[in-house]
Amino acid sequence: MIRHSLISTAIITALSSFSAHAALVTGQVFDNNKQPLSYADVHVHGKAQSIKTDENGRFSINIDANSQLHISKNNFVDARVQVTETSSALNITLVPTSVESVVVYASALHKNSLEMISPVSVLSGDELRNKAKPTLGETLKGLPGVNASYFGPVSSSPIIRGLDGPRVKITQNGLDSSDASRIGPDHATSNDSLAAEQIEVLRGPATLLYGSGAIGGVVNVVDNRIPTDNIEQLTGAVEYSHDTVSNANTYAAKLETGHNNFNFHFDGTKRTGDDYQTPRFNLPEEEHEDHEGHDEEEHETATSVKNTFIDSQTVNFGTSYVGEHLTLGVSYGRIETDYGIPAHSHEHEHGHDHEHDHDEGEEEAVYARVEQDRWQGLMSYALHNNWIETINLRLGYTDYRHAEIEDGAIGTIFSNETTEARLNIEHKLGNWHGMAGYHFSDSDYDADGEEAFTPASKTTTHALFILEEKQFGNVTLELGARIEDYNIDSNVGAAAHDHDHDHDHEDDHTDEHANEITPYSKSFTNLSASAGAIWQYTPGQSIALSVSHSERAPLSAELLSNGVHIATGTYELGLGYAIEDGEIHFEPENIKQETSTNIDFGFRRFSGDFGYTVNFFYNDIANFYYQQNTGLVFDEEHGLEAAEPGHDDGMAVYQFVSKDAKLYGIEFDAHYQLNSNAMVKVFGDSTTAKLADDEGYLPRIPANKLGSELQYNISDWQFSLTGTHYFEQRDITAYETATDSYTLFDAQANYQLSVGPVDTQFYINVDNITDELGFVHSSFIKDEAPLPGRNFRIGLRGYF
């Protein structure tokens, strides 16, 4: 009883140690020419509410105790000022920057993009709206170090520094997107860039906060569906655009309002489009038998990619209460999307009936129907006592369903039901400022149908993490660690690869063997740690260095896959299987974690007319999981057999293996302000990905790119012209083909006008001006799905 009383007393003391009486702090914000800055954001560190300076740069704000004010304004470096209850008449000067400074929500420590130790890019505002595409991969692929997997423009996921799939965590407001995009490249991400406030790309390992899988990076989509600032009046936005390359129409709307600390949010999008057009290209050659039994090669060309339509709608509601200390909120989102899956037909299963001629069509077009319900909750309490600043809890529940429709009927259903919780406690311990927390995730994945190449599984993780920073003069040091318990449970079929075989069912013993189910459970303990520092050696210039160690357990797809994956045209086997004498056996022994040791070194300049960011990285990965061609093929009649040159029957068998690998490269972004109206940018990246001991290159590594952009503003007009050259990719595996280089030119023109109380922006974008034929090396279907041809995108936005 005494011990419990002491604990209760300690908790009550901690929760009540802030002052109940608020003190008023006043001040004025200037630029470096001593001119007042109006509409700068001012908020107390750790609290959600913020205010803006008036036309003379003045502000007044309430604090509870010794606190830190965070002052920010676009095109200026953020300032952080320590204040007490006796502080008054503050004079704060903001230093101008040549690039926009944006608070990065994924940083967890309220850092802006210029203060981050890890390299980060943020798309927001009109730049995001101008570059927004139906998928995250296409929206972000122009950023240095970022490319796209590209399964057509409606299914394209980000690749960061050559890593994709489960190694790139995609989150919405810090919680997992919980779709099936990490399972296969034909599964689209469920995040909509049109409704986003900003999209953040953290390059390099971000495993401490977001889980052991994020050894490549994190893409965080930030929206305001749970408002964290009080909204005093009705505001909104509407947008319409039309794309000529696919006859696509996009509609979007957003409304926000609030009253007496209660706030409400609504947004919705509607997008429809047909198959997209391309420059004329040669379809992959296929050998067919003519009516006399002789082989003949068909050389066909096309000017569009079939089965790439999209019909999508999303709707999101959110509400919150934002008080002086407490913020509570909840949001609900619904996604319904139909999209075509290119190069995805079932003539492998159904194409044996030769009574139908080619004109009647032997292939059945397959499309995906995605439905997702997503709930998120937020609770944040700002204490402002001596050591605990904020307690923040985010909850998420996602019910995801991906059905593949074949000839009007459901063929395969992939579903994923995910529950996630993240508890963060922001604190100060002496001169250290940091975040400690607990992360829970439970994912119940299921697949049912002829393409269920991965069995149903349940994955549960529990993790504790800590992230601390301390400033030593002009140097900020950051340390972090995470321990994660990862468990996967599944029921594995003993002969899953036989599910499509034709049997006469006369042998009952064979049937019993085929239906055997083996319960499988495996646990891993993943440890991650990082250390980094950033040195602001002169105002507006810095050097950053970080070293991290991360461990990752395999996903169910990497560990337990065993079946035909029509989308990629392969038969996939997981790490847990072995092939002996043409037979597949489940032998999941000695499964080792993927272990990454990463070094990141960067130079940055963001003041004056000339600025740049240059990052070098080196990633040494032990037990790297990747798919390797086994030299075998699978067909329905004979099962596994050796591949023979000149014969296209059967699907190549690819198995996940683990080998040591090294990835290294450079990415850069430089800009120069020519005058008050014009700016020129140069950007590029290069990634090399090899197996250790000179065993060759890793498959589907994106080509290097180099680009330049010219921006010009005059009166109410904004213009930009961008050229990006993608180099040829010759660093390939034995079962890949090289990809030629290509250059894309894009242009934008925006015009600002006012229509009554509505601020309006008319824009026209021209993508691929020269109608260049380009193939994406990182795509599984690169030869069948080149990039879109010339596209005119015309749109209108309105804000009120």
Side-chain angles (χ1 to χ4, degrees), residues 196 314 436:
T314 68

Side-chain angles (χ1 to χ4, degrees), residues 95-111:
V95 178
T97 175
S98 55
V99 294
E100 185 177 4
S101 172
V102 182
V103 174
V104 180
Y105 292 90
S107 71
L109 296 178
H110 316 288
K111 292 188 175 183

Side-chain angles (χ1 to χ4, degrees), residues 124-133 193-196 236-243 250-254 718 748-755 757-765 793-800:
S124 61
D126 286 341
E127 182 184 15
L128 171 58
R129 296 180 181 92
N130 289 335
K131 294 182 177 180
K133 297 291 194 300
S193 55
L194 276 178
V238 293
E239 180 174 0
Y240 166 77
S241 66
H242 177 78
D243 289 78
T250 302
Y251 309 84
K254 180 176 75 170
Q718 298 175 326
Q748 297 178 356
N750 297 354
Y751 179 69
Q752 302 282 347
L753 66 155
S754 295
V755 181
V758 180
D759 292 330
T760 307
Q761 185 181 80
F762 170 78
Y763 63 91
I764 179 169
N765 299 351
R793 182 185 182 194
I794 302 171
L796 190 69
R797 302 188 187 104
Y799 306 90
F800 59 90

